[in-house]
Amino acid sequence: MSGRISAIAGTREPSGKVTLFIGAASGGVWKSDDSGTRYRPVFDEQPVQSIGAIALDPKNPKNVWVGTGESWTRNSVSIGDGIYKSTDGGETWTHTGLEKSERIAKIAVSPKDGDTVFACVPGALWSDSTDRGLYKTSDGGKTWTQILKGPNLSTGCTAIAIDPTNPDIMFAAMWDFRRKGWEYRSGGESPTAPSASGLFRSRDGGASWTDITPEANKGFPKKPYGRIAVAIAPSNAKRVYAFVESPESALFVSDDAGLTWEKRDKSQWMVWRPFYFANLIVDPKNPDRVFKTDGSLIVSEDAGKSFATVGGFQGTHGDAHDVWIDPTNTQVVFVGDDGGMWYSYNSGSKWWKGENLPVSQFYHVSADDNDPYRVYGGLQDNSSWVGESQYPGGVTNAQWENMYNGDGFWMFPDPADPDYIYAEYQGGEIARVNRHTHEARNIKPRPNYNEKLRFNWNTPIALSPNEKGTIYVGAQFLFRSRDHGQTWERISPDLTTNDPQKQKQEQSGGVTVDNSSAEMHTTIYSISESPKDKSLIWVGTDDGNLQLTRDGGKTWTNVIGNVPGLPKNSWVSWVQASNFDAATAYAAFDRHTFGDMAPYVFRTTDYGKTWTPLVTPQESRGVRGYAHVVKEDLVQPNLLFLGTEFGLFVSIDGGKNWAQFKGNHFPGVAVRDLAIQPRDNDLVLATHGRGIWIVDDITPLRALTPDLLTQEVAFVSARPVQQRIEGSGGWANGDAVFVGDNPPDAAVITYYQRARHLFGKLKLEILDESGRVLDELPASKRPGLNRVTWPMRAKPPRVPPAAQIAFAGTRGPRLVPGVYTVRLTKARKVSETKLTVGLDRRAKFSEADRKAQFDAAMKVGALFGDESALMDRILDLRKALAQGSAAVPEGDPLRKNISDFDGKVDAVRKKIVATTEGGAITGEERLREHTDQLYGSLLSYEGKPGDYLIAYIDTLNRELADATKDFEQLLAQDLPALNESLKTKGQQPIPPPPAKVAVDDTAGGAADSSARP
């Protein structure tokens, strides 16, 4: 369950390794240094995460160019802010211009001069713009010049191909296109309407251009054109391929550098959906071998005369967008599609799926009350999934289960029957799914006689917060079911504008008719029943109506005219009834489909009669990006969460001020939905590009009152601490797998600092009920909220050294539940708070049982300590014996006496620890190894230990006593006799070891992050 890949660039390093840069449609840039085995995000600190193009300098691949703003212009596409350059292989980035481009389709670096770069800018998708065309820099991005532009404000550049042998020769494709909320065109308004799209050729490095036409270039197709792809064969610059969208879409091939052309393939996967699949990739060594991306990836071995399917809908996910071919071994082919990255090492015959790119595009999210809770959500072109919020060893793909089909959107567990889930795919195809058998019953409402129901691409589903089993779904009418979809009530008239001019989807597409539910308009888009009044329901539509009923659907009032300063027909992206007051609601409006990328958020406290602006273009209050979702906290009414195209924003004062959330380096990715898990107080984010993120415990945000914010330093309340049961699970996955973080297995301590701590000591300590300091933790000095974790463990026992590691003995037992004190010393000011630690709520044992386990573990820890103390004395004595032997001349019989005595001492050592060297598993077990096994058994279960385990502690103590007795007997009888022999030879006696050897011991906690993917 990955997501759409829009661009790939790669290079074979001199070392033989392959370096890859992957551009996600809305999830940033990822780099791999090992052919895709591992990836890391390298673009997260930049303000936008939608990637359109990546290019490497052929002469110096450390120079990386990234064009932001995806060019595969589907309805849900994001936006960019220009072009970026890295000179250190993606470690750091510089924005180098074209900030108004909105999207960049291709970047080409001159094969002779790395400072000469061309950028294809298709430009704005939803509006007119002068910032389109082909741009060139000759100074490494310092300045840009538009060298090719279209004749109108809707035509930009989408493809460029440079002759590798003569970079003055190049081809550029121009594309006339426009998308609206209700229609789309590639080319002109219809298959025969005029279009400014075209293919152009330059012989002077872009200074001048010639339009390629059927009149001047024999064999080229007639206009009008839609989107065009062009590529030059690297091994034969005379060979040029061009896919041309037209009323007769097909592949065209030139063998004379574009002077004349021949029509070749026009199969389904060549011509299907050109706006989404216009890319040609030619084998670096074989000019006859060319790949075309489409629903299925296809390849020709005969210069485009015929094609075969090599990936898509079976071998790979399908919907391919870019391909990288290893120039040193062209059997190696990598493809990025709507499902992620795929790797082939036999020219595309078989594929291996990359499982390590978390760039999935969620639309919506919900959570149940299981413990741990499960997360539900639908993904763009990747179905609907349910997964664990935490799992032993981390959350891998194996902990997620696919439950439905198509493009996933809303997904909820049925609150009236936990065996069932509601899920849907595009166009309102809602189903009730049995989570065990996966039986999916389609329960989509059906139209009346001679009627058409209009369901949005992202059709809203809503569960009643007041009645378990009641569910809503919206077309142009609002439907309600109280029997799991067995029957539906139509409880509204048409709540949209019902504008017939926005209902011509069957004519949408331009040159190529493309009629999916993506352009279905004049539909309901958001539904919210008030938690305070089941008869009060809000409905927002995609064409600008905001409707309210207060009598369960009998009558409706359109209150959109009461929203101040809001342009007409603004898409209602979200409406949310307040959790606290029936008269209060929040609404977010999205005008990006009109070219307005600003956020609009409002609140009403009088049932929609008046509205207060919370975020507008005039007063953005630091919020960036058009608004997708606004929600009120479940506990604190002034705590608001706003998801936009560029991230998550939080307000603690009812929307007067906003701050962008950046915990754990959360990137500026679109947040389409969010859910609050009420028991755990977690905030679950549905990002459209980086999967699911969980902000662990938002309780501290609820506590950020105006009074607290004035304090220099203060502890902030958090959710109750549980000592979660340590379960076994997970397995070795290798490096090529993404593993989601679990919440910390520790107590989380939260404190607020008004300013960064600069001077004096900042110390954080944990004290028990008697006031004894148990631990000192590294304190964060940052301003704002800080989280530090305390593992709640005693110090690990001292374990005597041996040939093998004592695995269990590497950690201490968890301390017993109770009330602890946290003390923060900032310079000379001391602040304290109580920390109550409790059992896991799932635990079947009592606190008394827990105390018995802890006491037993501490007894074994003491046994380890006694073994170590005896071992210290043995090692001290053997060291002295070695020194004494070295002082005796070679050949002196006294040396043998010392050696014999040392052998007796070592025999005692061998009763305590395993001594066989040469492997981790030797089968040798002694007192220390038995102690470690017992200790591990006690730590594995925190309930009351079995009587046999308690008895075994006594058994091992007796065995240690026997070894101690043997050692003391050697000291009392054998050592004096040896020392007498030494004295007679004038040697220094061997001193007996001290009764106790001083040791050093340490323990502590670790700083923690505030969000996890």
Side-chain angles (χ1 to χ4, degrees), residues 31-48:
K31 181 181 180 181
S32 172
D33 297 310
D34 50 19
S35 305
T37 302
R38 298 169 298 173
Y39 284 100
R40 57 188 174 93
V42 294
F43 206 70
D44 284 5
E45 301 303 317
Q46 308 313 316
V48 298

Side-chain angles (χ1 to χ4, degrees), residues 513-674:
V513 174
D514 195 281
N515 178 27
S516 71
S517 57
E519 286 78 40
M520 187 64 70
H521 206 63
T522 61
T523 67
I524 291 173
Y525 194 74
S526 185
I527 306 166
S528 181
E529 177 188 297
S530 170
K532 295 298 183 182
D533 182 355
K534 68 179 182 180
S535 297
L536 193 156
I537 307 168
W538 291 91
V539 167
T541 72
D542 59 10
D543 57 349
N545 282 351
L546 184 56
Q547 305 273 10
L548 172 66
T549 179
R550 297 179 63 183
D551 54 15
K554 296 176 183 177
T555 60
W556 292 84
T557 303
N558 187 5
V559 300
I560 193 66
N562 301 333
V563 182
L566 182 69
K568 190 177 180 181
N569 301 126
S570 296
W571 196 305
V572 184
S573 57
W574 203 272
V575 59
Q576 189 77 36
S578 170
N579 298 311
F580 305 95
D581 175 31
T584 298
Y586 300 84
F589 301 89
D590 174 7
R591 291 190 52 78
H592 89 273
T593 57
F594 296 93
D596 179 357
M597 306 300 170
Y600 295 82
V601 183
F602 296 83
R603 176 178 56 220
T604 181
T605 56
D606 55 9
Y607 301 100
K609 296 176 184 177
T610 61
W611 293 83
T612 300
L614 301 182
V615 181
T616 64
Q618 293 74 32
E619 289 188 82
S620 65
R621 295 183 167 97
V623 175
R624 299 172 53 249
Y626 42 94
H628 293 297
V629 55
V630 59
K631 282 193 178 181
E632 184 183 60
D633 182 40
L634 302 178
V635 175
Q636 171 55 265
N638 284 328
L639 179 58
L640 304 179
F641 300 99
L642 174 61
T644 80
E645 189 63 20
F646 293 144
L648 173 67
F649 296 81
V650 181
S651 174
I652 60 174
D653 56 9
K656 296 176 184 177
N657 297 280
W658 296 86
Q660 186 166 4
F661 177 81
K662 295 185 178 180
N664 202 14
H665 303 285
F666 182 67
V669 66
V671 174
R672 288 294 193 106
D673 193 6
L674 53 90

Side-chain angles (χ1 to χ4, degrees), residues 876-952:
D876 187 82
L877 177 57
R878 295 194 71 203
K879 180 180 178 181
L881 289 169
Q883 292 172 345
S885 178
V888 174
E890 292 226 16
D892 192 319
L894 191 53
R895 274 204 171 195
K896 183 176 185 305
N897 294 344
I898 296 174
S899 176
D900 290 345
F901 179 70
D902 181 68
K904 294 178 181 180
V905 175
D906 193 43
V908 178
R909 180 178 76 95
K910 290 179 178 179
K911 291 181 179 180
I912 303 172
V913 299
T915 58
T916 302
E917 302 283 354
I921 303 175
T922 64
E924 183 183 11
E925 295 180 355
R926 297 294 181 263
L927 179 58
R928 168 195 182 266
E929 286 67 43
H930 294 154
T931 305
D932 191 58
Q933 293 167 4
L934 173 59
Y935 187 67
S937 296
L938 290 169
L939 294 191
S940 69
Y941 175 67
E942 294 186 329
K944 183 179 179 180
D947 293 340
Y948 63 94
L949 294 177
I950 302 301
Y952 195 40

